[in-house]
Amino acid sequence: MPPKFGTSGLRGLVTELTDTLVHAHIRAFLAACPHGGTVHVGRDLRDSSPRIAATVIDAIRGAGLGAVDCGAVPTPALALSAMARGHAAVMVTGSHIPADRNGLKFYLPGGEIAKSDERAILDALRTGGAPDAAQGPLEQDPDCAARYVARYVEGFGATALSGLRIGVYEHSSVARDTLGEIVEGLGATAVRIARSDSFIPVDTEAVDPATRAALAGWADEHALDAIISTDGDADRPMVADARGAMIPGDVLGPLTARLLGARIVVTPVSSNTLIDRLEGVEVRRTKIGSPFVIAGMEAALAKDPSAAVVGYEANGGFLLGFAARGPEGEIAPLMTRDALLPIVAPLAAARAEGRGLARMAASLPPRFTAADRLQEVPSERSMALIEMLRRNPDARADFFDTGSNEAAIDETDGLRVTFANGEIVHLRPSGNAPECRLYAEADSPARAQALLSGHIDRLAARLREAG
């Protein structure tokens, strides 16, 4: 699939992300969006990222603007640092997709780009972008990640995780050192596990069975209270309890929202419906993608600037829209996906209450989700199948197998079908990769997994037939 610009910025095969193409997109971004005169640049740990980051910096400086090289840092750390100085940012990352792909994420001085900014960048791409100018200055920022660590240590306190043994699944996450520093800064023992010299595409929404088995083995081997990790660029969390069992992102989100005292929660239609059952919380649903979540949060804040509003995605990325109070200090707003807050907040609360993560999760309404994806599926093929199912009730009755009649369909993003027994199956083509995603929800983990397994096999067969 050729490089594509959309919800997560620019993504494509490394071989097609040429210096010329990257340069053109950076110049289009500079022409179309506010930048504060300087752009901060970060990157993940893919082999291709240093080369692309160097091209990004050259394009920025060649337009007469200042560039701040932050090196290999978590995406939310880069955003936090740039926003604090009123500057734009560009993160070189392909997030969770394979190492033969990469991409660019764009940030304005106020946070992530919106859908309107995407359109403006594409318009500028067609008209040539920012012109050449006298070369701008270059600055190094070796303390970007350290300031990100301080955000959590200052907000939660140096003893927030005291006495806990936390496994840090390092793999090739750009946050692997940062995670250990935060764990130790909060008073816990960090047990570093499975560091990789090659890039591993970890998708926190679709963790493979081998990794799940490894998590359980590590938890037992090292007598851990929890295991934590992130995806490649660290805007999505991965958390497992003391048994090594995964805590889904759309469980971490409600836990974190409740602990921070949120009153308005903005989350995509794909997130677990347990959030709808929490008392004292107004839930607003959106299409899938952080720009849509941010737009929902901004709408709430426009109506009431003091609103205690947060957002999260099913992948666990958490957005804070108000100045929240941690156990030891204020946690400033950060309107971009963050992996660390939905890791630290539930762990700190579980430790303070003297119970583990599993019991914390069990305190929420009993609804369970499972998700997976089919890779290397052209988007147009997924979209054609979903459109056929949307239009044809008989085809839906043939495809979906829950033992219950269809009760409602939701077309906010893809096709989400609710059945009379309360079970949900949701199909959606990925907006930024050749993948088709499937989500299932039920009243037990086993049933959610059974729905997922059965329908992912059926989906694969139908897509093969369509190909």
Side-chain angles (χ1 to χ4, degrees):
M1 185 175 73
K4 181 178 180 181
F5 190 90
T7 297
S8 293
L10 176 69
R11 282 190 181 173
L13 291 168
V14 170
T15 54
E16 296 178 334
L17 290 172
T18 63
D19 291 349
T20 299
L21 185 141
V22 170
H23 185 280
H25 278 79
I26 295 300
R27 289 298 182 89
F29 170 60
L30 299 178
C33 298
H35 44 65
T38 300
V39 182
H40 296 232
V41 181
R43 55 182 169 83
D44 67 14
L45 297 180
R46 295 164 191 265
D47 289 343
S48 60
S49 291
R51 185 267 298 176
I52 297 173
T55 301
V56 170
I57 290 171
D58 286 345
I60 294 165
R61 298 182 69 199
L65 302 178
V68 180
D69 184 359
C70 296
V73 294
T75 292
L78 175 72
L80 181 72
S81 182
M83 291 163 64
R85 293 178 58 181
H87 295 158
V90 176
M91 180 71 181
V92 178
T93 180
S95 186
H96 63 281
I97 60 178
D100 64 343
R101 295 169 170 83
N102 211 326
L104 306 175
K105 289 183 178 179
F106 298 93
Y107 291 83
L108 309 182
E112 288 188 35
I113 60 171
K115 302 304 289 184
S116 57
D117 299 311
E118 291 179 23
R119 292 189 290 271
I121 293 170
L122 289 172
D123 288 342
L125 191 63
R126 287 187 287 268
T127 58
D132 290 341
Q135 190 172 54
L138 175 62
E139 175 186 343
Q140 305 292 328
D141 182 7
D143 299 320
C144 179
R147 290 191 293 273
Y148 185 54
V149 171
R151 169 185 173 82
Y152 299 97
V153 175
E154 293 170 4
F156 287 88
T159 61
L161 302 182
S162 180
L164 300 183
R165 286 175 57 82
I166 307 297
V168 178
Y169 172 33
E170 294 188 325
H171 63 92
S172 53
S173 166
V174 75
R176 57 192 183 184
D177 294 327
T178 301
L179 285 170
E181 291 169 8
I182 287 177
V183 165
E184 292 171 345
L186 296 174
T189 298
V191 180
R192 294 167 173 81
I193 300 167
R195 193 179 186 96
S196 175
D197 291 330
S198 58
F199 187 81
I200 299 174
V202 171
D203 185 341
T204 62
E205 268 190 291
V207 179
D208 61 87
T211 300
R212 290 176 182 270
L215 291 169
W218 295 330
D220 180 62
E221 177 186 355
H222 300 289
L224 301 174
D225 295 291
I227 301 173
I228 63 174
S229 190
T230 74
D231 65 338
D233 70 319
D235 66 353
R236 306 180 183 193
M238 177 190 287
V239 178
D241 64 21
R243 297 175 294 111
M246 291 281 299
I247 308 292
D250 51 5
V251 171
L252 295 172
L255 283 174
T256 304
R258 186 174 68 178
L259 296 168
L260 296 176
R263 291 293 173 262
I264 299 174
V265 172
V266 183
T267 193
V269 66
S270 59
S271 294
N272 192 318
T273 60
L274 71 84
I275 187 65
D276 301 297
R277 304 184 186 187
L278 293 187
E279 294 184 3
V281 174
E282 177 188 347
V283 180
R284 302 183 184 182
R285 297 281 182 167
T286 73
K287 294 182 69 173
I288 297 170
S290 53
F292 300 108
V293 175
I294 291 170
M297 295 173 69
E298 289 176 339
L301 291 168
K303 186 174 182 179
D304 178 7
S306 65
V309 59
V310 302
Y312 67 84
E313 296 188 273
N315 57 42
F318 197 90
L319 302 95
L320 182 62
F322 71 105
R325 186 72 193 176
E328 294 294 329
E330 185 177 277
I331 305 169
L334 182 56
M335 293 276 277
T336 190
R337 280 191 309 214
D338 179 22
L340 267 293
L341 190 55
I343 290 175
V344 172
L347 280 172
R351 188 261 180 191
E353 296 174 16
R355 55 178 174 170
L357 281 174
R359 288 180 60 196
M360 285 282 292
S363 71
L364 295 171
R367 288 290 283 177
F368 302 90
T369 59
D372 204 347
R373 71 200 193 281
L374 295 175
Q375 297 177 286
E376 303 304 329
V377 177
S379 295
E380 57 271 18
R381 190 182 304 171
S382 301
M383 293 171 67
L385 174 61
I386 291 170
E387 176 61 17
M388 184 273 292
L389 293 172
R390 185 192 67 79
R391 288 186 286 101
N392 191 328
D394 291 337
R396 292 199 300 275
D398 181 59
F399 180 85
F400 294 106
D401 181 16
T402 67
S404 181
N405 292 329
E406 178 183 300
I409 63 171
D410 187 324
E411 299 176 44
T412 301
D413 201 333
L415 179 64
R416 184 174 177 87
V417 184
T418 301
F419 299 89
N421 60 5
E423 295 176 348
I424 298 172
V425 181
H426 183 177
L427 305 177
R428 173 185 177 262
S430 173
N432 50 48
E435 300 174 349
C436 188
R437 290 186 175 268
L438 193 149
Y439 310 83
E441 182 174 327
D443 285 335
S444 75
R447 181 56 182 163
Q449 187 59 49
L451 284 172
L452 177 70
S453 299
H455 284 90
I456 201 79
D457 290 343
R458 188 174 292 109
L459 179 62
R462 294 296 179 88
L463 289 171
R464 282 196 301 269
E465 293 170 5

